[in-house]
């Protein structure tokens, strides 16, 4: 039953944090949380479980979420907004980014990396994949005489820049290099 105590305490803490600024701003009483438990749980059990969780997390519950970081990057980086000029580009990039983040969630090494690093890496990969898959490369601002006819699968599986780069690879690099460097600079990431 201790697991349920911690589960209810986690829900109570999450609600307490988000109810401070999200509507509707109506009170939620402890009895509402106690009703969630499948066993008899008293107020003292709830308080003890909340205190244990807070101590476990060193009273630091303000961890950023990937979506909050993505939204901040979109607002902060003009180069990212430039890449997003194509219709539905942000939705496509978000879809690819979340696909990468969800794939990373299955990795046992997930907790070794900060959320910002995982999110930035997934966003960079998402941008590259969306630009690669775009048939017309609407955001390609380079003046390269490119034949944009390579299939998405061929581009995604091709080892970039191992040999002489193709015109398509150069166009992708030119299109995305500014935003990729900005993301790395804003988050203080190094290139490995």
């Amino acid at each position: 039953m201790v697991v349920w105590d911690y589960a209810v305490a986690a829900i109570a803490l999450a609600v307490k944090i988000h109810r401070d600024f999200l509507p509707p701003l109506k009170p939620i009483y402890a009895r509402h949380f106690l009703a969630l438990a499948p066993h008899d749980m008293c107020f003292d059990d709830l308080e003890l479980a909340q205190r244990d969780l807070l101590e476990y997390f060193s009273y630091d519950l303000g961890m950023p979420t990937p979506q909050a970081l993505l939204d901040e990057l979109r607002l902060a980086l003009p180069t990212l907004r430039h890449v997003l000029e194509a219709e539905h580009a942000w939705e496509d990039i978000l879809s690819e980014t979340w696909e990468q983040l969800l794939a990373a969630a299955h990795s046992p090494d997930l907790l070794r990396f900060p959320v910002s690093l995982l999110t930035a890496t997934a966003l960079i990969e998402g941008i590259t994949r969306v630009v690669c898959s775009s048939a017309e490369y609407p955001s390609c601002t380079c003046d390269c005489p490119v034949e944009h006819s390579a299939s998405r699968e061929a581009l995604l599986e091709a080892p970039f820049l191992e040999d002489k780069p193709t015109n398509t690879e150069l166009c992708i690099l030119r299109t995305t290099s500014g935003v990729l460097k900005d993301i790395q600079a804003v988050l203080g990431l190094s290139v490995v």
Side-chain angles (χ1 to χ4, degrees):
M1 297 301 168
V2 174
V3 172
W4 274 102
D5 290 355
Y6 287 121
V8 172
I11 292 171
L13 288 171
V15 169
K16 285 178 183 181
I17 289 170
H18 292 291
R19 291 299 258 195
D20 285 344
F21 62 92
L22 294 176
L25 299 174
K26 296 180 181 176
I28 298 178
Y29 299 102
R31 68 175 180 267
H32 295 126
F33 297 114
L34 296 174
L36 296 173
H39 65 286
D40 289 334
M41 185 175 176
C42 67
F43 180 76
D44 290 337
D45 293 338
L46 178 63
E47 288 295 308
L48 179 64
Q50 288 181 77
R51 187 177 62 235
D52 288 347
L53 286 176
L54 287 170
E55 285 178 6
Y56 178 78
F57 289 111
S58 302
Y59 297 90
D60 182 17
L61 299 180
M63 297 175 221
T65 63
Q67 188 60 52
L69 287 169
L70 292 169
D71 292 340
E72 288 295 321
L73 287 172
R74 182 180 182 194
L75 292 173
L77 301 177
T79 52
L80 180 57
R81 290 192 305 271
H82 179 70
V83 170
L84 301 177
E85 287 178 352
E87 187 176 350
H88 304 295
W90 182 240
E91 291 85 10
D92 295 341
I93 289 172
L94 278 181
S95 176
E96 288 287 342
T97 300
W98 278 105
E99 185 177 312
Q100 296 298 316
L101 286 170
L102 293 175
H106 292 124
S107 171
D109 296 330
L110 175 73
L111 298 176
R112 289 182 44 211
F113 304 102
V115 173
S116 60
L117 177 63
L118 293 170
T119 304
T121 305
L123 178 61
I124 289 168
E125 183 68 21
I127 290 168
T128 305
R129 287 177 180 250
V130 168
V131 170
C132 263
S133 67
S134 175
E136 300 169 7
Y137 291 85
S139 61
C140 186
T141 58
C142 61
D143 296 326
C144 55
V146 179
E147 304 260 343
H148 300 292
S149 60
S151 71
R152 175 182 186 207
E153 290 77 20
L155 288 171
L156 293 176
E157 293 174 7
F160 276 84
L161 301 178
E162 284 186 7
D163 296 321
K164 182 181 176 194
T166 65
N167 285 340
T168 304
E169 291 169 350
L170 286 174
C171 186
I172 291 167
L173 287 173
R174 286 184 188 128
T175 301
T176 60
S177 66
V179 70
L180 302 183
K181 288 177 185 175
D182 284 350
I183 292 169
Q184 291 170 340
V186 165
L187 295 176
L189 304 176
S190 62
V191 179
V192 179

